[in-house]
Amino acid sequence: MSYVVEMLNIRKEFPGIVANDNITLTLKKGEIHALLGENGAGKSTLMGVLFGMYQPEKGIIKIREKEVKITSPNVANQLGIGMVHQHFKLVENFTVTENIILGSEPLKGMVLDIDKAAKRIAELSKHYGLNVDPHSKIEDISVGMQQRVEIMKMLYREAEVLIFDEPTAVLTPHEIEELMKIMRNLINEGKSIIIITHKLKEIKAVADRCTVIRRGKGIGTVNVKETSTAQMAEMMVGREVNFKVDKKASTPGEVVLQIDSLSVKNNRKVLGLKNFSVEVKRGEIFGIAGVEGNGQSEIVEAITGLRKVESGKILLNGKEITNIPIRKRIESGIGHIPEDRHRRGLVLDYTLENNMVLEVYNKPPFAKAGLLNGSAIKNYAKSILENFDVRSGEGGASIARTLSGGNQQKAIIGREMELDPDLLIAVQPTRGLDVGSIEYIHKRLIEHRDKGKAVLLVSLELDEVLQLSDRIAIVNNGELIGTVIASETNENEVGLMMAGVSKERSV
Amino acid sequence: MRNTIVSLISIVLGLIAGGLLMLFIGASPIEGYTYLFQGALKNISRIGDTLATATPLIFSGLAVAFAFRTGLFNIGASGQMLIGGLAATAVALTFDLSRPILLIVMVLAGIIGGGLWAFIPGLFKAKFNVHEVVSTIMMNWIAYWTVYYVVPGYFKGEFLETESRKLAEETTLRTPWLTELFQGSYINLGLFFGVIAVIIMAFIINKTTLGFELKAVGFNRHAAEYAGMKVNRNIILSMLISGALAGLGGVALYTGNASSMQIGILPSQGYDGIAVALLGANSPVGVFFAALLFGILYSGTGFMNAMIEIPPELANTIIAIIIYFAATSVLIHRVLNKFRKTRSNSNDVDGPVGKKGEA
């Protein structure tokens, strides 16, 4: 048995923390190896060690059975290790070819030989089934395609070992399937792959073996075929995980949100939402399913006031809110867990305390006659952070930026739930979070529903929408395709509707 | 705390570099610095002059820092000072009021003039997304030419076309008891206004809902918008306050330190405000001390030049070097990190796990 990569007994410390403690990971030639662990378990650190970003305190790394010291990413590249980062590192207004050759530009005499590179990229693309057009600009292609450009970068530099860091976090279900196909092609051509993830379903679908780490310690390596998802989850979290969302049947009450033939323009100044009408009632979780960019953002931003409405009406508790200011909407009972917690949800350079009063800082008891009341803010924040189990270094005084993604998200959810809104809009509430946090957040959303409030859930994860929602509206191309009852539908039906095939059944 | 250390290190490095320059031109740095500081602080009158030199810098530094806290880069402090100074001068030369009332009207005129000069770029930024760096620089030149036109046209001096009439002593910010206390220095009430401005700004930034909003908009305008804050209103308001501070600086400069306005000069204090804000890490108190330091360097340089053959431009050079170090404070941070690392005997302080605070 030949190993391409062997990381033996790796130990890596940061001040105050042992990020990797005696972890061993071996990669066979031609296998897809999953690295599984919760947020902050030490996955990225371990891969950072392999990619030359950190030097381990202890342990040995062998590449093709030869012991090596990887002192920088350049060394890693020379050893044939490539990494596809979670956040792509591409120049938006360059073409695919220009991006790929960046840093190792082929020359013809004194000038760039773009054509030669483009030809080679086209060949590689065909060979691995990537289907990348070497001449399109990055800003014009989809996220899934951009990821392939990143993959192509590795292949162009003749990497043998490819590390994928959370590759599916940004992809639609269809793109995920495509990516898996590509991964299989890659191993058929003799490449080896390490995929960092916490999505068990994907590991099951694509990986051969799986190494689990928890809180910096190696828990073990298993054969994926012989291990159930539940077993892997238990290894990862350290306890049994409940995948099924427990919830009672909903008892819908009066209408909270009424959207009446709403049309909204998108960022390209064309209608991204056309003539859209739904009603959301008290005591239900109303899901919106659809492939990314089919009108979901427009719906949410129109309700919350972040985007102008072209025509149509939005009513909250029977009162029209179509054109009122954002603050008024918040005051009249809309809570919003935004899609992008860094862009919208938090002021990252503010303390957690300040972030917890971001919407209410100007109201008593937090402010009086324009003056802030520090101790009231502190106490309020403290109760939210305790209540929602937000873990941070210095409690409420921590700068929001220093928290892990899961804790940032819990803080936002806590802030919004504390306002006890009649309508809670949750957009991708569990994006990028680990199993433990997801379980927790789902529980809180259902609690909110059971208090007799309405929840509008927008998620690209079909599983999440199906499990949590009571009713589901499916959007495609900015139009409502139909509304289904969650307990009477299945993935196939919703999937078809997401593709735009409407069904003669509306609720 | 961290910022203070970085600023202090920048200053020390700047002074060392200045010393090396003195060595290079064949002078003794110890002597040079002795004369420099003597020139600024030797006696009570010189201390007064130093404080007066620092006063406009306090204002322009505050103006830049305040805008910066809201994520705006006000490069137009010079123009705002000019207009503020022009408005106050015009008031002083036109109205015949009793001294206290006249001073109040002059100050108000300066605040309104400077505020207006920054309000326009703020409005353009909010309504049409015109970048404030471009529009404030353009406003600088509009101010420059406005003074060029207005002063000879309406307030021409007795002997010179290029200067306004001299203000009478009792229509300036200079006040007899202060002049006497500092033994004939040109120190004036502007310094007190400056201290008050520092306190007010610190109060607004740290204690009020307005400061909370302005900072939120500065850090992340998308999140501020999400939370229901009026982003555009805050941008305009921030520019307005920033311009008012600079305008008040103009009042101190033209009706306190000086007693007439010259045409064809953009006050360099406006641009120095950027440096002061940077060195003061955009905090009001930091700005105050940074302005004092600049005041010392500027006012001591003449004496140094008179005593030994060191050109007065050296003060500017030292300031430039200090700013260079303050601007590249990332480097100093890194060195500090390294220092800490060797002490705690471990590396990679900023590792991803260490940062998350979720041990």
Side-chain angles (χ1 to χ4, degrees), chain A residues 361-372:
Chain A
Y361 64 93
N362 57 345
K363 298 190 176 56
F366 311 116
K368 222 166 134 189
L371 301 184
L372 296 171

Side-chain angles (χ1 to χ4, degrees), chain B residues 80-95:
Chain B
Q80 292 143 21
M81 288 175 93
L82 265 185
I83 294 300
L86 180 66
T89 304
V91 167
L93 291 175
T94 310
F95 298 109

Side-chain angles (χ1 to χ4, degrees), chain B residues 294-316:
Chain B
F294 281 29
I296 290 172
L297 292 176
Y298 277 132
S299 72
T301 171
F303 186 69
M304 177 182 72
N305 177 237
M307 299 306 287
I308 47 172
E309 294 285 300
I310 297 176
E313 287 77 14
L314 191 84
N316 280 318

Side-chain angles (χ1 to χ4, degrees), chain A residues 6-170:
Chain A
E6 291 167 88
M7 300 181 78
L8 305 172
N9 310 101
I10 300 294
R11 181 182 173 91
K12 173 74 208 151
E13 291 170 20
F14 294 112
I17 300 172
V18 181
N20 287 163
D21 185 8
N22 201 16
I23 297 181
T24 294
L25 183 146
T26 54
L27 179 67
K28 292 180 195 164
K29 190 169 167 57
E31 79 164 340
I32 301 181
H33 193 112
L35 179 58
L36 176 67
E38 289 193 284
N39 287 326
K43 294 170 298 199
S44 307
T45 309
L46 187 66
M47 286 303 105
V49 168
L50 179 58
F51 199 55
M53 292 189 283
Y54 307 121
Q55 299 309 309
E57 266 81 46
K58 275 188 203 145
I60 299 168
I61 301 174
K62 289 186 190 172
I63 305 290
R64 289 175 217 95
E65 283 158 16
K66 244 175 56 197
E67 194 175 326
V68 290
K69 276 234 174 311
I70 306 176
T71 49
S72 79
N74 285 337
V75 177
N77 279 333
Q78 281 157 23
L79 289 167
I81 301 169
M83 189 148 173
V84 177
H85 295 272
Q86 190 178 355
H87 300 284
F88 308 145
K89 301 181 186 314
L90 297 169
V91 184
E92 288 269 306
N93 50 1
F94 270 20
T95 66
V96 168
T97 306
E98 285 164 339
N99 266 288
I100 290 172
I101 61 174
L102 210 60
S104 58
E105 298 87 351
L107 296 176
K108 191 159 71 183
M110 290 283 284
V111 290
L112 266 182
D113 194 355
I114 291 265
D115 292 338
K116 190 176 137 204
K119 227 167 116 191
R120 175 137 178 260
I121 289 163
E123 275 164 23
L124 279 171
S125 166
K126 213 170 142 201
H127 189 73
Y128 291 100
L130 288 175
N131 208 8
V132 173
D133 172 10
H135 299 293
S136 36
K137 277 195 178 166
I138 298 298
E139 58 196 2
D140 299 331
I141 62 180
S142 70
V143 174
M145 197 57 94
Q146 290 178 13
Q147 188 173 53
R148 292 185 201 178
V149 176
E150 286 282 1
I151 298 172
M152 187 70 90
K153 255 194 206 169
M154 303 302 124
L155 298 175
Y156 187 83
R157 287 164 174 70
E158 292 170 346
E160 289 299 318
V161 177
L162 292 98
I163 306 168
F164 285 82
D165 187 3
E166 308 256 354
T168 58
V170 289

Side-chain angles (χ1 to χ4, degrees), chain B residues 117-139:
Chain B
W117 228 244
F119 167 79
I120 296 168
L123 189 72
F124 284 0
K125 168 93 177 182
K127 293 279 175 215
F128 311 112
N129 205 20
V130 177
H131 202 287
E132 73 278 6
V133 166
V134 176
S135 53
T136 51
I137 290 180
M138 282 158 64
M139 291 301 284

Side-chain angles (χ1 to χ4, degrees), chain A residues 54 336 344 350 361 372 402, chain B residues 207 212-213 225-226 352 355:
Chain A
Y54 307 121
H336 177 196
R344 290 277 188 205
Y350 261 180
Y361 64 93
L372 296 171
T402 61
Chain B
K207 299 282 179 206
F212 187 92
E213 278 194 28
E225 185 190 13
Y226 153 89
K355 255 203 254 174

Side-chain angles (χ1 to χ4, degrees), chain A residues 193-336:
Chain A
I193 293 176
I194 299 176
I195 167 172
I196 305 176
T197 184
H198 49 241
K199 292 189 182 163
L200 300 159
K201 210 170 142 187
E202 287 156 17
I203 295 180
K204 206 68 193 158
V206 74
D208 301 307
R209 291 193 304 151
C210 172
T211 296
V212 186
I213 55 180
R214 182 169 78 225
R215 303 205 169 192
K217 290 200 165 56
I219 301 301
T221 302
V222 294
N223 275 326
V224 172
K225 276 212 187 73
E226 298 152 15
T227 318
S228 72
T229 15
Q231 280 168 322
M232 283 192 277
E234 208 180 318
M235 285 174 80
M236 169 168 73
V237 186
R239 60 180 167 85
E240 257 184 72
V241 178
N242 191 1
F243 283 106
K244 268 269 178 69
V245 178
D246 280 324
K247 60 171 194 187
K248 294 177 284 183
S250 72
T251 47
E254 70 219 71
V255 174
V256 171
L257 174 75
Q258 189 186 345
I259 298 180
D260 194 10
S261 37
L262 190 68
S263 294
V264 182
K265 279 188 181 162
N266 64 15
N267 288 342
R268 281 174 307 226
K269 308 271 180 245
V270 293
L271 284 184
L273 190 68
K274 297 159 212 158
N275 218 3
F276 183 85
S277 305
V278 288
E279 282 182 351
V280 182
K281 298 182 182 127
R282 283 182 185 283
E284 72 169 353
I285 297 183
F286 188 86
I288 292 182
V291 178
E292 185 167 14
N294 275 272
Q296 298 96 320
S297 313
E298 286 79 8
I299 298 172
V300 171
E301 290 181 356
I303 301 173
T304 52
L306 291 164
R307 196 179 281 271
K308 215 178 100 225
V309 170
E310 294 303 315
S311 66
K313 268 195 258 179
I314 305 168
L315 283 83
L316 186 74
N317 289 325
K319 276 195 227 107
E320 182 161 352
I321 58 161
T322 318
N323 289 314
I324 69 173
I326 296 170
R327 176 159 291 161
K328 284 254 170 60
R329 296 183 201 226
I330 296 170
E331 284 164 0
S332 50
I334 294 180
H336 177 196

